[in-house]
Amino acid sequence: MTSRTVFGLVCLVCAALLGVAFYMEYVMGLEPCPLCWLQRFGFIGAGLVALLGLLHGPSGLGVRIYGFMLAVMSGVGLALAGRQLWLQSLPADQVPACGPSVDYMLEVLPFFEVLSTAIRGTGDCAEVVWRFLGLSIPGWTAVFFCVLIVVGLVLLLRGSGQERRAL
């Protein structure tokens, strides 16, 4: 596989995951919590890095730079998913209070206060509303962020003459 093919696949995976998130929100009626929104931005960031890599078609150092950026974006997303998984593991008496919706917070609060509140998480973030094969939504996002980190690190660590060879 060429690096361009890998970037294209990563971009498609990120788009598909965002499609699933919107399906869960608008068809299944699951309201995303603040940490869910931030995890979406993690997939958007990783997808944009992959799209730029696809369009640019770098080689050598360029592949490594895009691989590094992909790993960093995915690492941030993994940290957010980990935060939500931690909130979901808390006993009921230690779960933070539920907060207002992200839309409402964006209307009335300064951006950095919204961001800070979202990163801390609310009681909404601790609620498990859907499971598949025993994993909640942040569990699955953590799995996919881990896969993207591995892909980014493989691209980062490839030798300069190997950008056209198989991963």
Side-chain angles (χ1 to χ4, degrees), residues 17 20-21 23-25 27-31 36 84-85 88 124-141 144:
L17 290 169
V20 168
Y23 176 83
M24 291 176 128
E25 180 178 359
V27 176
M28 294 173 64
L30 301 178
E31 184 71 28
C36 290
Q84 188 169 1
L85 287 168
Q88 289 180 348
D124 300 330
C125 299
E127 185 180 352
V128 178
V129 295
W130 181 89
R131 284 189 187 274
F132 180 68
L133 298 176
L135 289 178
S136 63
I137 296 169
W140 282 107
T141 60
F144 282 102

Side-chain angles (χ1 to χ4, degrees), residues 60-123:
L61 179 62
V63 172
R64 289 190 190 103
I65 291 171
Y66 283 110
F68 174 75
M69 291 190 306
L70 177 61
V72 167
M73 287 294 207
S74 301
V76 170
L78 179 60
L80 294 167
R83 172 76 176 161
Q84 188 169 1
L85 287 168
W86 176 76
L87 287 171
Q88 289 180 348
S89 73
L90 290 175
D93 64 331
Q94 294 180 12
V95 171
C98 291
S101 71
V102 173
D103 295 332
Y104 177 77
M105 286 192 298
L106 286 170
E107 288 178 16
V108 299
L109 298 174
F111 175 75
F112 287 108
E113 191 172 333
V114 173
L115 186 61
S116 173
T117 301
I119 291 171
R120 278 192 313 268
T122 64

Side-chain angles (χ1 to χ4, degrees), residues 7-58:
F7 288 126
L9 288 172
V10 168
C11 190
L12 283 175
V13 166
C14 289
L17 290 169
L18 289 168
V20 168
F22 288 120
Y23 176 83
M24 291 176 128
E25 180 178 359
Y26 293 109
V27 176
M28 294 173 64
L30 301 178
E31 184 71 28
C33 72
L35 280 171
C36 290
W37 277 103
L38 292 177
Q39 289 168 65
R40 286 183 186 185
F41 287 120
F43 284 122
I44 290 170
L48 287 175
V49 167
L51 179 62
L52 288 173
L54 172 67
L55 296 174
H56 179 215

